[in-house]
Amino acid sequence: MEDIHPEEHFDPTSEITLETVKDRMVKGVVTLTSQYFVLYLITFLTTGALTIFLSPAEFGIFGILSTVKLIMSYFSDIGLAASLIQKKENLTTKDLQTAFTVQQGLVILLLIILFLITPVIKNTYHLGQDGIYLMYALGISLFFSSLKTIPSVLLERHLKFERLAFVNIIENLIYNLILVFLAWKGLGITSYTVSFLASGIVGVILIYFMQPWKIGISFSLPTLKHLLKFGIPYQANTFIALLKDQAPILLLGKIVGLEGVGYLTWAQGWAQAPLRIVMDNVQRVSFPAFARMQDDKSELSKTLTRTIFFITFLVMPAVLGMIILAPQLIHVVPKWVKWTPAIIPLIFFGFNSIVASFTTQITNVFNAIGKIKITSYLMIMWTVLTLIFVPLLATKFGIDGAAFAYCIVEVSSIIAIYLAKKYVNFSLNESVLKPLYASAGMAILLLILRSIFTPSFYSIGLMVIVGGLFYFVLLLFLVGKSLIEDAKKSFNTLFNR
C-alpha cells in the first residue's frame, strides 16, 4: 500500500494534468473499493449482530431519525463542496474561506431549528428520551461533518483518495465497534448515540492531521455568487434526490408503522450493501475525474464504459446471490427468523440496486460535464413517481407494496441511458449487458443448488464459492482475456503503488 504522509498537503492553487487524473482515478477506484471492502465486511458483521440485539421497531426509529439528519445535511451545504471540486479554475484561499464560513453559518442555524422542532418530531413518531438524544447526536455529527468539508475537498480535487479512505475506515471502525458493544450490553438506541459522537470527533481530528488546513473566516459576495452558479443547481438535484429517497420513509412511518419501516430498512440495507461498497467509492472518484475530462469526449466515453463495467461486474452477481440465498440465511442465522417478512421487499430492493449500478454513474457524468439541468429533470421525474406510487401501494399492500413501488420508479431509468448516449458514446453492451448475462447464468445455477441443499452455513458457503466461480467463467467467455488483464492491473495498482 502507498505510504501516507500527512505532512504533505496540497496547495489549493495547484492543478494536475489529464494523464495524472487518469492514473490517480484508477488508483483511487482500486484503493477505495479494496480498502472499503474490509470496512464493509466489518459493517456487514455489525449489521448482522444488530439484527440480533435490536428489535425491528428500534431499527425503524434509527431509520426515521437518520432521514431527519439527511434532510438537515442538504441545507448545510447548498452545493459549495461540489462546486469547489468541479471548478475548472484553480481554487483560491478566498474560495475556501467563503465556502467554510457560509457552511458553518447554515449548520448552526439548522441545529437551532432542530432543537426548536424537537417536540413536533417527538410527538409525531412517539419517541422516548433515548430517541431524542439520538436525534441531537445526529445533529452534532452534522456539525462535525461540516468541519471536514474543506480538507475533504482538497483531497478529492487532487484525487488523493487513499487518505480519505484511511480517515473513513478508522472513523467507521470506531463507530461499529462501539455500536455493537453497547447494543450487546443492552443499551438499545443509546448505542447509536454514543457511536455517532465518538466517531465524529475522531473523524475531524484525523482529517485535519491528514490534510491540514488553516481555518479562516471571511466572506466574499462575488466569490459566493460564482460558486453558487454550479452549487445551487447541484444542490437542487441533491434535494430532489433526497425527497425521492427519504420523504417516503417519513410517510411510511405513519402508514406501516415503526416495525414496518424497520423491515424496509433491513431489506434495503442488505440489498444496497454491494452497491454501497462499490458504487459509492467509484462515484466519489469519478466525479472529479470526469470533470477534468469534460473537454475530451473520447476519453470520457472510454472511462465511463470501464467504470460502469467495474460497478456492474461486482454488484450484479452479489445482489442476485444475496436475493437467492437470503431465505436460507434467515433459517440458519440465530434470531433472524423475525426478519422473514422482509424477504419479498429484499427482492424488490435488489432489483433497484442492479439498475442503479449503471444509471447512477450516468447522472454522475451529467453533473461532471455541466449538464446539470438534465439531472434535474430526471430527478424531478423520479421524485414525482416515488411520491405517488410508494404511499399508494404501501397503503394497499403494506411493506411489499412499498418496495414494489420503488421497482416501478426504477424502470423509468431507461430514459437516463437514452439521454446519456447523446452526449457520451459509452458501450451499453460492454458495460452492462455482459455482466448481466453472466449474473443471470449464475442465478440459475444457484436456484438449482438451493433446491438440492438443506439450509446450513456449509451449504451456503459452498453455493457462494461455486456460484462465484461459475460467474467468473461465464464472464471470461463473454468478455475475453481483457478481464484477466484488467484484474492484473488492479492487483498491481493495489500492491505495487
Side-chain angles (χ1 to χ4, degrees):
M1 290 180 58
E2 181 180 359
D3 293 333
I4 298 174
H5 304 287
E7 70 277 4
E8 176 199 347
H9 59 280
F10 306 108
D11 180 358
T13 63
S14 66
E15 286 301 329
I16 53 179
T17 65
L18 182 59
E19 286 302 315
T20 303
V21 168
K22 291 190 290 184
D23 180 58
R24 289 186 181 176
M25 181 179 181
V26 174
K27 289 182 179 180
V29 169
V30 175
T31 299
L32 286 184
T33 304
S34 58
Q35 293 183 13
Y36 274 106
F37 179 78
V38 177
L39 174 61
Y40 279 107
L41 178 60
I42 296 171
T43 303
F44 177 87
L45 297 174
T46 299
T47 305
L50 293 177
T51 57
I52 296 174
F53 301 137
L54 301 179
S55 68
E58 288 173 323
F59 262 83
I61 292 172
F62 175 69
I64 288 173
L65 293 181
S66 296
T67 299
V68 173
K69 181 196 173 183
L70 285 172
I71 293 174
M72 290 175 59
S73 66
Y74 160 75
F75 292 103
S76 69
D77 188 356
I78 59 175
L80 295 175
S83 184
L84 291 172
I85 295 171
Q86 198 270 347
K87 185 181 177 185
K88 287 185 179 182
E89 303 83 9
N90 293 357
L91 295 181
T92 65
T93 300
K94 188 175 293 185
D95 289 333
L96 300 177
Q97 291 185 350
T98 297
F100 180 80
T101 302
V102 172
Q103 186 178 29
Q104 296 314 305
L106 290 171
V107 169
I108 293 172
L109 177 62
L110 287 169
L111 291 178
I112 294 173
I113 294 174
L114 177 64
F115 285 113
L116 292 177
I117 66 172
T118 294
V120 177
I121 298 176
K122 178 180 179 180
N123 294 332
T124 301
Y125 298 105
H126 309 291
L127 298 180
Q129 195 59 46
D130 54 350
I132 297 299
Y133 289 147
L134 173 58
M135 184 174 65
Y136 290 160
L138 289 170
I140 295 172
S141 70
L142 177 64
F143 172 70
F144 292 148
S145 296
S146 70
L147 294 177
K148 293 163 56 180
T149 298
I150 300 302
S152 297
V153 164
L154 295 178
L155 291 174
E156 287 193 42
R157 191 171 170 89
H158 287 81
L159 279 77
K160 300 298 290 184
F161 288 95
E162 70 280 354
R163 301 186 183 189
L164 286 170
F166 177 79
V167 173
N168 290 332
I169 286 173
I170 297 300
E171 186 176 354
N172 280 276
L173 270 175
I174 292 173
Y175 170 79
N176 285 306
L177 289 174
I178 294 176
L179 179 58
V180 171
F181 177 77
L182 295 181
W184 173 57
K185 288 295 184 179
L187 270 68
I189 291 297
T190 303
S191 307
Y192 286 108
T193 303
V194 178
S195 301
F196 272 113
L197 293 176
S199 61
I201 293 172
V202 171
V204 171
I205 294 173
L206 275 179
I207 201 163
Y208 274 85
F209 179 70
M210 300 305 297
Q211 176 53 59
W213 177 69
K214 187 177 181 180
I215 294 177
I217 303 295
S218 68
F219 180 80
S220 168
L221 184 59
T223 298
L224 180 62
K225 288 181 177 179
H226 180 73
L227 292 175
L228 291 181
K229 284 182 181 179
F230 177 86
I232 287 182
Y234 181 91
Q235 198 68 358
N237 289 338
T238 304
F239 179 65
I240 296 170
L242 190 69
L243 283 178
K244 177 178 75 71
D245 296 334
Q246 304 302 325
I249 295 177
L250 298 178
L251 295 174
L252 290 170
K254 301 296 293 182
I255 297 172
V256 299
L258 291 177
E259 189 172 275
V261 173
Y263 288 131
L264 290 172
T265 301
W266 183 92
Q268 189 173 42
W270 286 114
Q272 290 184 349
L275 198 65
R276 300 279 76 86
I277 294 173
V278 181
M279 187 187 72
D280 286 0
N281 297 316
V282 175
Q283 193 169 1
R284 191 169 188 180
V285 176
S286 62
F287 175 66
F290 288 158
R292 299 296 179 276
M293 297 178 184
Q294 55 188 297
D295 293 328
D296 189 338
K297 292 298 177 65
S298 176
E299 192 63 47
L300 183 59
S301 299
K302 294 177 184 177
T303 305
L304 178 59
T305 298
R306 294 177 71 84
T307 54
I308 293 178
F309 174 81
F310 181 80
I311 298 171
T312 55
F313 163 69
L314 296 173
V315 171
M316 286 183 176
V319 172
L320 284 175
M322 184 179 298
I323 290 173
I324 293 170
L325 298 179
Q328 293 200 332
L329 280 169
I330 286 288
H331 294 290
V332 299
V333 177
K335 297 185 179 180
W336 263 27
V337 175
K338 64 185 176 183
W339 297 105
T340 301
I343 289 296
I344 293 178
L346 175 67
I347 296 173
F348 294 140
F349 283 125
F351 171 82
N352 290 0
S353 293
I354 289 174
V355 177
S357 67
F358 52 92
T359 57
T360 303
Q361 190 69 343
I362 290 173
T363 58
N364 196 32
V365 168
F366 286 144
N367 292 339
I369 66 176
K371 302 296 181 181
I372 201 88
K373 288 185 178 180
I374 296 177
T375 306
S376 298
Y377 297 144
L378 290 171
M379 288 298 178
I380 291 172
M381 177 188 70
W382 289 326
T383 301
V384 171
L385 292 175
T386 301
L387 294 177
I388 290 174
F389 285 108
V390 172
L392 177 64
L393 295 185
T395 302
K396 288 183 174 294
F397 304 106
I399 60 174
D400 295 342
F404 180 69
Y406 284 102
C407 288
I408 296 175
V409 176
E410 203 67 41
V411 170
S412 65
S413 296
I414 191 173
I415 298 175
I417 300 174
Y418 171 76
L419 293 174
K421 295 288 284 185
K422 292 183 176 181
Y423 297 95
V424 185
N425 189 29
F426 70 100
S427 173
L428 189 63
N429 182 56
E430 295 294 327
S431 61
V432 178
L433 296 182
K434 288 183 178 180
L436 181 61
Y437 296 150
S439 298
M442 181 207 71
I444 293 172
L445 176 63
L446 288 180
L447 287 171
I448 294 172
L449 294 177
R450 191 181 72 175
S451 66
I452 297 174
F453 292 125
T454 302
S456 68
F457 285 116
Y458 172 78
S459 65
I460 292 172
L462 181 62
M463 284 189 284
V464 169
I465 295 173
V466 173
L469 290 174
F470 187 67
Y471 168 74
F472 187 80
V473 170
L474 284 177
L475 197 59
L476 184 61
F477 174 76
L478 292 170
V479 176
K481 294 182 180 179
S482 63
L483 181 64
I484 297 179
E485 293 173 358
D486 286 344
K488 287 181 179 179
K489 289 179 182 178
S490 297
F491 185 85
N492 291 333
T493 298
L494 180 61
F495 293 103
N496 296 315
R497 295 196 303 275

